[in-house]
Amino acid sequence: GAHRQVTAEQLRARGNALFQAGDHGAALAVYTEALSLSDAASERAVLHRNRAACYLKLEDYAKAEADATKAIEADGRDVKALFRRSQALQQLGRLDQAVTDLQRCVSLEPRNKAFQEALRALGSSMHEKMKAMSCTDSKVEQMFQILLDLDEKDADKKQKAAQNLIVLAREEAGAEKIFQSDGVRLLMQLLDTAKADLMLAALRTLVGLCSGHRSRTTAILSELGAPRLAAVLGVEHEQVSLAACNLLHVMFDSLKEGLQKDFRGKEDALVLDSSRDLKLLIKHLLELLVLEGASAHGRDNALNLLIKVVPRKSPKETNNSLSLWVIDQGLKKILEVGSTVCGSLGSLPVTENTRMSTSVLLSKLYEDLKCDAERENFHHLCEDYVRSWFEGHELPGKLRAIQTVSCLLQGPSDAGNRVLELEGIMDSVLSLCASVTEAHQLVAVEALIHAADKAKRASFITANGVNLLKEIYKHSERDSIRIRALVGLCKLGSAGGTDFSMKQFAEGSTMKLAKQCRKWLCNEAIDAGTRRWAVEGLAYLTFDADVKEEFVEDKAAMQAMFQLAKSEDRSVLYAVASTLVNCTNSYDHEEPDPQMLELAKYAKQHIPEQHPKDKPEFVKRRVRKLLTAGVVSALACMVKSENPALTNSCRELISRVFLALVEEAEDRGGVVAQGGGKALIPLSLEGTEVGQTKAAQALAKITITSNPEMAFPGERIYEVVRPLVSLLHLQRTGLENFEGLMALTNLAGISERLRQKILKERAVPMIEGYMFEEHELIRLAATECMCNMAMSKEVQEMFLAEGSDRLKLMVLYSGEEDEKLRRAASGTLAMLTSLHPPICKRIPQVTVHWLEILQALLLSPSAELQHRGAVVVMNMMAAAREVAEQLIASEMLEILSVLAKDKEKP
């Protein structure tokens, strides 16, 4: 027993020391370990009390309250524990209980000023809250009265009441008040008025009530009922449908939160409830998809919700049961939407974005599967669905089957390829390509094009399709069909990629096709859905440098493309981004292996060549022309769209273009002015790793050469820190490390709040690591960054840490040959010795060369270095007697007196 006693006590002492030093997280861990070793009730109580203090500091008030309660259960007179519990309760909003605890503290220690003060403060805040509450009570009833009064004609008054209700619901106390005042029933009445403004007010108020609050969400869901919520999503009014979409998203989040938090055994019933509620909502969304009466954008909103809430957010989560359930219950319904042939008899109402959203949802579900058996099941369901339409439904059925194939090829292409191989499908596609009915021909040609995308089928299609498509392109009367046939030809011909010597068709035909695409793109008389295909064509044709050059000369075509990029139809995003990547040459360049080239020549094989117009000076000119034509505002608009079409690979393309646009320092101001800086932040925070890195590098380039406070005004400047720190990771290239360091140096020089943010993102150890880098530019950038970071108290303390060589490195760098490095290091020493005097005493201890290094600074030909040296010596003289004596005993005095007489350098 004695032995164990000692360890728990030692741990407690260590925890106390850590707590005093301000490391509350570590102290908490140590106290927790001590608890596991301790049996004595009195000691356990103290440890619980100490843990409560840690939790208060870490702002986890629920746990602070629980620990304090355990201490109080052991000893009801423990004032420290009572006081800590009162602080926790106060933060949790349970003011009446907090008062009880504080009154107990005051009665136990009547003389304690801190307790009296706390009680007084709490009393007045209670009073305020009671006043606000009683006033809120009547206010809530009043607002509902105004809104539900059908005779109330004053629109202004109604507007105001609605606004007040929404604002009130955003605060926890207000939300609870509305909920307790029979608010849900009243909000339901507002929804049932079918008046848009009242419905919007109700939906936005409900968002406040459900946000982050699972039990209220569950109650609201059972009172309103999933069918009613789904019905509101399906209304014709776009804003109301969108507001319902937001509400459902918030409800999903609150319910899912419940699922993650409550796996603690005792709340199993709740977990089941949350899971049941989630499935109930999803079931109604799936039913809405095939409901004929639901509006087109309601259908889009339902698809977007499913994309956001069904698949796992990260591969770290192991449970994909929701996706499996949706595939089981609803895959057929999703395919119903994907197979809709616009304009055919009795077809579901859809928008230009519906098919793209359906493809993305199918893709996400397919990617969420974990094993072959799950994937096989998915394939079988798709095959059964396609067969059910293809067989025995005459022509309309064949069209729907082919439309389904298109939708799958654009989404989970594995599944698309599987259904393409079903008997008769491909023959049907080819024969329908020649149909006299435009709508039918459209469906078939588009399917052929999507099939051409997937290399597996391309050889079969190249054999059959090219001639067919050429025929259609030459002889069709309809632009809508010719444009699609052209894209098919481009796709089949672009196998050579960026390779100049594999000309698509006959020399010159690429140019002709591109010219035709630009003509169609600029022709306002053609519908946008068809003009979008002209961009698809350019996405392929712009592999060719001559096409790039002509495109950037054609201002009208560039602007027509930007207009499309900003339009409602989001399916064009990928094609626009691809075209821009090609024009700015921001794709990955594969350098051929020189040995392989020699061998290829020897064997007379085909060698990839670079087009002369893809040389840097041409690319630079193209970038300028795109900037003048307004490319930045188009890209910013593309990023803003909360849309499934903005996939991660699409985001990556946009990031690549941005990086190319900020290559030249003089263009960066313009890019920022047109909204480029703002657009880059979300691109750098989510997407593919390559995309995030490219966006972060573009942010770094902007931060290095412009005034960051102008480029990223207000709070935005703090959002730039994380992307910049990501450039310091070891797997990034040397150039990315260097630009990240330079950008952080700029930010660290601005304010303490920014330095704190950089510290919080754990950048300092990485910056230090780069101070040892062989490459002198990186080493210099890291030292300069450290110099600015040293204005922070925490960083100054690090230079005194036991067993660290930080200070030694700075002193030694102040004596290096490289003048820039000396400037940065001696600047850091000047700052450290001024701001943190204890460092002065340490300098003589870190290296025997300290004196000669300081003397060399003072004797340097550079006035800047002399000044820094003088500041350091002056600070050291002032700091400690023994240091001053060492300095006086050296030649320092003579050097200083010589310098003091120098008239040139005041």
Side-chain angles (χ1 to χ4, degrees):
H3 171 65
R4 281 181 62 187
Q5 212 47 44
V6 177
T7 48
E9 254 179 55
Q10 282 171 338
L11 284 171
R12 188 172 110 201
R14 193 155 99 220
N16 293 350
L18 285 164
F19 188 86
Q20 292 316 134
D23 195 343
H24 307 119
L28 175 66
V30 173
Y31 290 142
T32 306
E33 198 185 333
L35 266 173
S36 69
L37 297 176
S38 163
D39 305 326
S42 61
E43 184 174 55
R44 289 182 70 80
V46 173
L47 286 166
H48 280 300
R49 183 175 80 194
N50 290 0
R51 266 203 342 189
C54 295
Y55 281 127
L56 281 174
K57 291 285 190 195
L58 296 167
E59 297 181 16
D60 189 338
Y61 301 114
K63 289 198 175 128
E65 185 223 351
D67 263 325
T69 302
K70 286 195 174 127
I72 295 162
E73 282 164 3
D75 172 11
R77 301 175 67 82
D78 184 340
V79 273
K80 277 188 184 170
L82 282 163
F83 185 63
R84 280 169 200 167
R85 187 167 73 177
S86 76
Q87 286 177 294
L89 287 165
Q90 199 170 338
Q91 293 292 343
L92 292 167
R94 288 150 56 189
L95 303 188
D96 41 348
Q97 289 165 284
V99 168
T100 316
D101 278 352
L102 268 177
Q103 284 167 337
R104 179 110 179 101
C105 287
V106 173
S107 68
L108 287 166
E109 287 188 16
R111 289 235 163 104
N112 189 320
K113 287 273 190 295
F115 293 162
Q116 293 167 5
E117 204 36 59
L119 189 59
R120 196 170 307 124
L122 188 54
S124 63
S125 84
M126 286 270 294
H127 182 66
E128 286 302 306
K129 196 164 173 186
M130 294 309 288
K131 233 168 59 181
M133 271 312 202
S134 57
C135 138
T136 315
D137 271 8
S138 53
K139 241 174 44 203
V140 172
E141 281 158 35
Q142 240 177 338
M143 287 182 240
F144 278 119
Q145 266 168 2
I146 296 169
L147 290 172
L148 289 166
D149 179 5
L150 299 176
D151 305 326
E152 177 63 72
K153 295 287 179 281
D154 185 346
D156 234 17
K157 195 165 160 187
K158 281 203 154 169
Q159 177 90 41
K160 210 160 180 179
Q163 205 41 51
N164 285 340
L165 204 54
I166 296 165
V167 171
L168 192 65
R170 284 186 194 142
E171 292 291 322
E172 176 48 34
E176 194 49 36
K177 197 65 246 163
I178 296 173
F179 185 69
Q180 299 297 351
S181 322
D182 196 19
V184 183
R185 194 180 54 81
L186 297 168
L187 289 167
M188 195 150 67
Q189 288 179 16
L190 287 178
L191 280 179
D192 293 345
T193 59
K195 290 202 171 91
D197 49 343
L198 295 180
M199 291 176 82
L200 283 171
L203 291 165
R204 287 171 184 159
T205 305
L206 283 165
V207 164
L209 296 187
C210 294
S211 203
H213 202 295
R214 202 207 54 217
S215 56
R216 271 205 302 259
T217 304
T218 312
I220 287 169
L221 181 58
S222 71
E223 193 156 348
L224 291 179
R228 182 189 262 104
L229 287 166
V232 178
L233 187 64
V235 298
E236 279 302 331
H237 194 287
E238 276 191 55
Q239 266 189 304
V240 172
S241 175
L242 195 60
C245 179
N246 287 339
L247 170 61
L248 283 163
H249 197 189
V250 165
M251 294 179 92
F252 275 120
D253 281 349
S254 299
L255 291 170
K256 274 195 153 170
E257 198 80 327
L259 275 180
Q260 277 141 18
K261 271 194 193 146
D262 294 331
F263 280 125
R264 284 203 302 272
K266 62 173 195 249
E267 307 195 36
D268 278 347
L270 286 176
V271 177
L272 289 172
D273 283 349
S274 283
S275 169
R276 206 176 50 222
D277 286 340
L278 269 176
K279 287 184 173 170
L280 183 69
L281 276 177
I282 291 172
K283 181 167 150 293
H284 283 284
L285 288 182
L286 291 167
E287 279 167 13
L288 179 76
L289 292 180
V290 291
L291 195 69
E292 282 179 18
S295 65
H297 42 256
R299 197 163 275 105
D300 281 2
N301 285 333
L303 287 166
N304 293 357
L305 268 171
L306 290 166
I307 289 169
K308 282 181 187 153
V309 301
V310 176
R312 292 170 291 171
K313 285 274 182 289
S314 83
K316 285 196 195 97
E317 296 173 37
T318 50
N319 182 356
N320 68 346
S321 61
L322 208 49
S323 286
L324 295 176
W325 185 80
V326 168
I327 290 169
D328 180 47
Q329 299 280 313
L331 187 60
K332 294 261 162 70
K333 296 189 172 83
I334 298 166
L335 292 171
E336 279 293 286
V337 181
S339 69
T340 296
V341 179
C342 294
S344 63
L345 206 62
S347 66
L348 292 169
V350 289
T351 72
E352 55 269 24
N353 288 312
T354 309
R355 178 121 38 93
M356 185 69 185
S357 297
T358 311
S359 290
V360 173
L361 174 58
L362 289 165
S363 233
K364 295 258 187 197
L365 289 171
Y366 187 74
E367 284 161 18
D368 207 32
L369 300 178
K370 290 197 293 200
C371 63
D372 289 345
E374 292 176 358
R375 285 185 275 273
E376 270 311 306
N377 175 49
F378 188 94
H379 290 313
H380 285 312
L381 288 168
C382 293
E383 287 170 357
D384 290 347
Y385 181 80
V386 170
R387 259 198 231 100
S388 72
W389 276 115
F390 194 70
E391 294 160 10
H393 279 281
E394 306 298 315
L395 186 60
K398 290 199 168 32
L399 284 169
R400 288 202 67 163
I402 292 171
Q403 192 76 293
T404 313
V405 174
S406 272
C407 185
L408 286 165
L409 282 167
Q410 277 182 284
S413 53
D414 290 355
N417 278 323
R418 282 278 291 263
V419 287
L420 255 187
E421 281 157 22
L422 290 175
E423 183 127 357
I425 293 277
M426 203 63 220
D427 302 333
S428 243
V429 171
L430 292 172
S431 66
L432 276 169
C433 278
S435 165
V436 287
T437 318
E438 178 172 11
H440 301 173
Q441 200 179 5
L442 273 182
V443 170
V445 173
E446 285 191 17
L448 186 62
I449 295 168
H450 293 312
D453 243 4
K454 312 295 171 220
K456 204 164 153 191
R457 303 287 313 180
S459 54
F460 165 72
I461 292 165
T462 313
N464 298 276
V466 170
N467 294 329
L468 181 65
L469 289 171
K470 275 190 176 164
E471 282 305 300
I472 296 174
Y473 178 59
K474 285 186 186 137
H475 304 299
S476 173
E477 313 280 289
R478 313 185 183 106
D479 276 345
S480 61
I481 299 288
R482 290 187 63 212
I483 210 164
R484 286 165 171 81
L486 170 90
V487 174
L489 286 170
C490 296
K491 284 192 177 186
L492 293 172
S494 70
T498 56
D499 178 1
F500 166 51
S501 52
M502 283 256 305
K503 264 299 195 257
Q504 272 94 330
F505 309 105
E507 234 2 284
S509 71
T510 312
M511 300 300 288
K512 265 195 226 133
L513 294 177
K515 192 169 177 186
Q516 184 60 59
C517 277
R518 296 203 311 273
K519 215 167 93 186
W520 275 324
L521 182 57
C522 297
N523 182 351
E524 299 271 327
I526 304 178
D527 68 292
T530 298
R531 283 164 57 213
R532 179 192 114 215
W533 283 93
V535 185
E536 294 270 349
L538 286 168
Y540 285 88
L541 294 166
T542 46
F543 277 132
D544 182 307
D546 290 307
V547 175
K548 303 179 199 189
E549 285 294 315
E550 286 204 348
F551 180 66
V552 297
E553 290 304 329
D554 186 341
K555 212 156 181 186
M558 285 193 287
Q559 283 173 339
M561 180 169 90
F562 297 157
Q563 277 318 111
L564 276 179
K566 295 176 182 179
S567 71
E568 280 298 297
D569 180 357
R570 287 294 168 190
S571 44
V572 76
L573 291 182
Y574 196 82
V576 173
S578 302
T579 306
L580 291 171
V581 164
N582 290 341
C583 290
T584 55
N585 286 41
S586 48
Y587 39 75
D588 288 327
H589 301 279
E590 282 161 25
E591 296 301 327
D593 175 14
Q595 273 179 318
M596 294 310 287
L597 276 184
E598 286 310 306
L599 287 172
K601 277 184 193 151
Y602 184 68
K604 296 203 168 56
Q605 276 173 338
H606 164 71
I607 304 163
E609 299 169 33
Q610 194 195 32
H611 194 297
K613 290 184 183 169
D614 275 332
K615 293 203 160 57
E617 61 271 23
F618 281 93
V619 177
K620 208 186 278 187
R621 272 210 302 272
R622 290 202 288 267
V623 166
R624 282 282 149 80
K625 289 190 171 135
L626 285 166
L627 284 168
T628 320
V631 64
V632 177
S633 64
L635 289 171
C637 192
M638 286 159 74
V639 175
K640 266 207 292 259
S641 86
E642 258 288 300
N643 191 282
L646 191 66
T647 54
N648 283 344
S649 47
C650 188
R651 299 171 81 98
E652 179 185 315
L653 294 177
I654 296 172
S655 302
R656 285 175 182 276
V657 178
F658 265 127
L659 185 54
L661 296 176
V662 296
E663 191 48 52
E664 299 297 317
E666 60 267 33
D667 297 333
R668 293 171 195 165
V671 171
V672 169
Q674 291 172 33
K678 184 178 178 183
L680 278 164
I681 293 173
L683 288 171
S684 67
L685 293 171
E686 64 172 300
T688 65
E689 186 158 357
V690 174
Q692 286 180 279
T693 306
K694 304 249 177 220
Q697 204 185 347
L699 284 171
K701 285 181 191 288
I702 291 170
T703 311
I704 291 166
T705 50
S706 57
N707 170 359
E709 292 176 283
M710 304 277 283
F712 308 107
E715 289 296 301
R716 204 172 299 152
I717 194 164
Y718 301 100
E719 295 173 38
V720 180
V721 174
R722 178 170 300 160
L724 294 179
V725 172
S726 76
L727 293 174
L728 303 187
H729 293 302
L730 287 174
Q731 68 268 34
R732 301 277 170 265
T733 65
L735 177 65
E736 289 162 355
N737 299 155
F738 175 66
E739 291 184 327
L741 288 164
M742 299 231 318
L744 287 168
T745 304
N746 251 356
L747 294 185
I750 293 175
S751 71
E752 180 56 29
R753 190 175 155 201
L754 270 167
R755 289 190 287 278
Q756 285 301 326
K757 176 82 176 140
I758 295 171
L759 272 163
K760 206 169 137 195
E761 293 292 340
R762 304 203 177 86
V764 174
M766 292 191 273
I767 298 169
E768 281 192 325
Y770 287 112
M771 287 177 66
F772 293 96
E773 183 74 33
E774 266 121 79
H775 198 297
E776 67 239 29
L777 281 175
I778 295 184
R779 191 169 59 200
L780 170 67
T783 310
E784 288 180 337
C785 192
M786 207 55 192
C787 178
N788 280 348
M789 286 302 292
M791 289 188 258
S792 259
K793 197 91 182 123
E794 280 103 307
V795 180
Q796 294 157 20
E797 295 289 347
M798 289 160 89
F799 278 90
L800 286 173
E802 282 304 324
S804 127
D805 283 338
R806 297 184 181 105
L807 190 56
K808 178 179 184 175
L809 190 66
M810 276 301 174
V811 178
L812 292 175
Y813 275 2
S814 302
E816 281 279 320
E817 252 111 85
D818 175 354
E819 170 149 351
K820 284 184 173 158
L821 185 60
R822 279 181 84 183
R823 268 213 308 256
S826 55
T828 312
L829 284 181
M831 175 119 66
L832 287 169
T833 51
S834 306
L835 295 174
H836 203 53
I839 286 179
C840 297
K841 285 193 216 168
R842 277 294 279 284
I843 290 178
Q845 295 159 22
V846 290
T847 165
V848 289
H849 305 294
W850 69 280
L851 260 174
E852 55 197 88
I853 289 173
L854 288 177
Q855 288 170 1
L857 283 174
L858 290 169
L859 295 168
S860 151
S862 142
E864 226 181 310
L865 287 175
Q866 287 183 308
H867 175 236
R868 287 164 194 208
V871 171
V872 176
V873 173
M874 181 178 80
N875 290 333
M876 288 176 72
M877 291 290 294
R881 182 167 184 149
E882 65 270 27
V883 180
E885 282 168 357
Q886 278 172 288
L887 285 166
I888 297 289
S890 67
E891 294 92 272
M892 201 54 92
L893 204 57
E894 291 155 53
I895 298 174
L896 287 169
S897 49
V898 172
L899 285 179
K901 295 193 182 92
D902 190 339
K903 298 277 183 288
E904 305 287 295
K905 301 175 181 165

